[in-house]
């Protein structure tokens, strides 16, 4: 194993990782709430988890990776359960909704070469564990029940606020309309909620029929699969508060000690500088990319070009640059194929030097933009044999996950029959400023699967797959 340093949201520093067990790292990632399709913003956060896991494995750690599936609705600010709402709108059962969107999410992850987690536990399979944690918190005087609702008593847990760095009085001031008037204090949060009689998803408990609060599921599933102490917990930046703050209160409240050593949070993907979110209405799915002329892995490359703790703004220009960068690396790999010389020795100079630079980048808080720059330096190094360039890039690809041995231009990337003639006619129409004709020809080309963009250098085409 080689040392690695990671930014810990808890200490607010980049610290050396000291795994609980030598050479073995346990990771929990908050997974998707499966009532709608994941968008590429969500997927940026899961890519960050994937890069963490691949980096640790590249550095010779054994990794146990758990990512949960939130298939029980939890009420966010609106007081509505999104899974039940989706079931009603789509005329399906909550279980059908959850299964459909789980499959869609995992397929999107597959398209992005996100390695499946070792364990993908579902919240609905762990209600008993959540009830048990809630019972323990009540016993310990850290929670109270009001008419079938159980709340965590934040005032009984002095460490509350340590992750997000907020004081209770500030949180209180920040609270808006409260939809749970029976709480003692606005910052208390639900561990268990009483179900209304006609609610579809509910479970029996000592406090009557009900359903779990949102945060308790991650305390239950993380500790069940990784134990009462584990190494790293990841999620998007918006989960830091309240979700992770509340998870710390629950897990540490029940065990009486620190549970998670390192908390890591990924920054947002934005679109026109606004957070990509369903509520904003600016979401793009990974499966939307081919119709814009891009492959899913072009997006993976784009995500690698920004550090996970920086915002990344999604634009199609940035995607063009990403696609071009990916093509360049793949070309370098294919140029080195087929030689029958001895396999290059990556431990010998100058290959070892490149590897050291790559390791230095990834092990300093996952500096992927630097790691990608090292890959391009290799691809452009004419003094290196083509086979050595290929071997190095394929080695780096264990972390990058870009399928660098795929053809730079996927099969069938030649223009379809008739497209070249349409392009010529369109170029002529543009010279003649016949924009109606030019637009009509653009539509004809699109129907053939060819997207056209006008650039100062002329028409640029991308082929849909
Ligand atoms: P959700 O399914 O809403 O719980 O979100 C799943 C994950 O996506 C969480 O870790 C969120 O923090 C993360 N997330 C949501 N929106 C974005 C975004 N625009 N960019 C990056 N991550 C996001
Ligand atoms: Zn969680």
């Amino acid at each position: 194993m080689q040392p690695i340093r990671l930014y810990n949201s808890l200490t607010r520093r980049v610290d050396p990782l000291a795994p609980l067990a030598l050479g073995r790292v346990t990771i929990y990632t908050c997974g998707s709430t499966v009532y709608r399709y994941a968008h590429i913003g969500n997927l940026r956060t899961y890519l960050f988890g994937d890069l963490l896991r691949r980096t640790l494995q590249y550095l010779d750690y054994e990794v146990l990776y758990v990512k949960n599936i939130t298939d029980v609705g939890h009420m966010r600010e609106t007081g509505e359960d999104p899974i039940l709402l989706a079931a009603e709108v789509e005329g399906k059962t909550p279980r059908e909704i959850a299964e459909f969107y789980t499959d869609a999410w995992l397929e999107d992850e597959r398209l992005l070469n996100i390695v499946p987690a070792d364990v993908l536990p579902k919240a609905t399979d762990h209600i008993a564990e959540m009830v048990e944690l809630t019972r323990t918190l009540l016993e310990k005087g850290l929670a109270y029940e009001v008419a079938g609702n159980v709340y965590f008593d934040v005032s009984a847990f002095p460490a509350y606020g340590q992750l997000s760095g907020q004081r209770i009085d500030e949180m209180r001031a920040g609270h808006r309309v409260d939809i749970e008037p029976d709480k003692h204090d606005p910052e208390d949060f639900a561990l268990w909620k009483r179900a209304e009689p006609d609610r579809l998803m509910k479970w029996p408990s000592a406090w009557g029929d009900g359903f779990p609060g949102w945060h308790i599921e991650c305390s239950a599933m993380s500790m069940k699969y990784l134990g009462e102490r584990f190494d790293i917990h990841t999620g998007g930046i918006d989960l830091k508060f309240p979700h992770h703050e509340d998870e710390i209160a629950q897990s540490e409240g029940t065990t009486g000690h620190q549970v998670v050593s390192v908390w890591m949070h990924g920054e947002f993907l934005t679109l026109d500088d606004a957070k990509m979110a369903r509520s904003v209405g600016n979401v793009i799915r990974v499966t939307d990319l081919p119709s814009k002329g891009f492959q899913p892995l072009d997006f993976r490359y784009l995500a690698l070009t920004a550090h996970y703790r920086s915002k990344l703004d999604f634009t199609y220009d940035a995607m063009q640059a990403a696609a071009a960068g990916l093509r360049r690396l793949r070309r370098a790999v294919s140029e080195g194929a087929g030689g029958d010389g001895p396999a290059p020795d990556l431990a010998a100079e100058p290959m070892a030097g490149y590897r050291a630079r790559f390791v230095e980048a990834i092990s300093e808080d996952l500096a992927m933009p630097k790691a990608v720059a090292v890959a391009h330096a290799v691809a452009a190094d004419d003094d290196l044999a083509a086979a050595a360039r290929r071997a190095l890039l394929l080695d780096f690809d264990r972390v990058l996950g870009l399928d660098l041995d795929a053809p730079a231009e996927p099969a069938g990337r030649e223009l379809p029959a008739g497209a070249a003639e349409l392009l010529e006619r369109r170029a002529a129409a543009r010279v003649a400023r016949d924009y109606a004709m030019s637009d009509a020809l653009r539509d004809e080309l699109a129907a053939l699967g060819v997207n056209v963009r006008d650039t100062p250098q002329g028409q640029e085409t991308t082929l849909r797959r």
Side-chain angles (χ1 to χ4, degrees), residues 29-36 39-46 70 74 76 214 234-239 266-270 274-277:
T29 290
C30 291
S32 199
T33 310
V34 286
Y35 66 97
R36 43 86 176 106
H39 55 70
I40 54 176
N42 302 135
L43 288 158
R44 181 187 183 202
T45 290
Y46 303 128
T70 298
H74 41 71
R76 294 200 178 172
W214 171 26
T234 80
I237 189 81
D238 57 337
L239 297 190
E267 252 297 351
F268 284 144
L269 183 76
T270 58
K275 175 193 171 188
M276 183 173 287

Side-chain angles (χ1 to χ4, degrees), residues 7 12 55 93 154 256 356 360 369 417 431:
Y7 182 85
R12 299 172 178 76
T55 293
T93 65
V154 167
E360 192 186 330
V431 169

Side-chain angles (χ1 to χ4, degrees), residues 292 294 315-325 327 453 460-462:
K292 304 283 186 193
F294 296 104
T315 64
Y316 286 107
D317 282 346
M319 282 291 284
Q320 292 280 4
R327 270 199 301 273
R453 228 165 60 100
E460 206 177 275
T461 56
T462 35

Side-chain angles (χ1 to χ4, degrees), residues 45-121:
T45 290
Y46 303 128
L47 276 169
F48 146 58
D50 185 59
L51 290 168
L52 171 66
R53 180 226 200 131
R54 286 172 176 262
T55 293
L56 288 165
Q57 287 174 326
Y58 184 90
L59 299 176
D60 290 330
Y61 293 88
E62 188 193 321
V63 174
L64 177 58
Y65 191 35
V66 178
K67 177 153 55 176
N68 77 292
I69 298 168
T70 298
D71 64 345
V72 53
H74 41 71
M75 306 187 306
R76 294 200 178 172
E77 298 77 26
T78 57
E80 276 168 317
D81 173 334
I83 295 184
L84 292 181
L85 210 60
E88 202 175 305
V89 172
E90 297 191 28
K92 294 182 179 164
T93 65
R95 197 197 179 99
E96 284 169 343
I97 289 289
E99 279 175 3
F100 179 84
Y101 289 109
T102 299
D103 290 350
W105 167 44
L106 297 178
E107 174 60 14
D108 289 349
E109 290 207 342
R110 196 186 62 77
L111 291 171
L112 291 174
N113 275 351
I114 294 175
V115 179
D118 301 304
V119 192
L120 276 160

Side-chain angles (χ1 to χ4, degrees), residues 304-323:
L304 289 167
T305 62
H307 189 258
Y308 75 90
R309 283 193 287 126
S310 305
K311 286 200 175 66
L312 170 60
D313 198 44
F314 181 90
T315 64
Y316 286 107
D317 282 346
M319 282 291 284
Q320 292 280 4

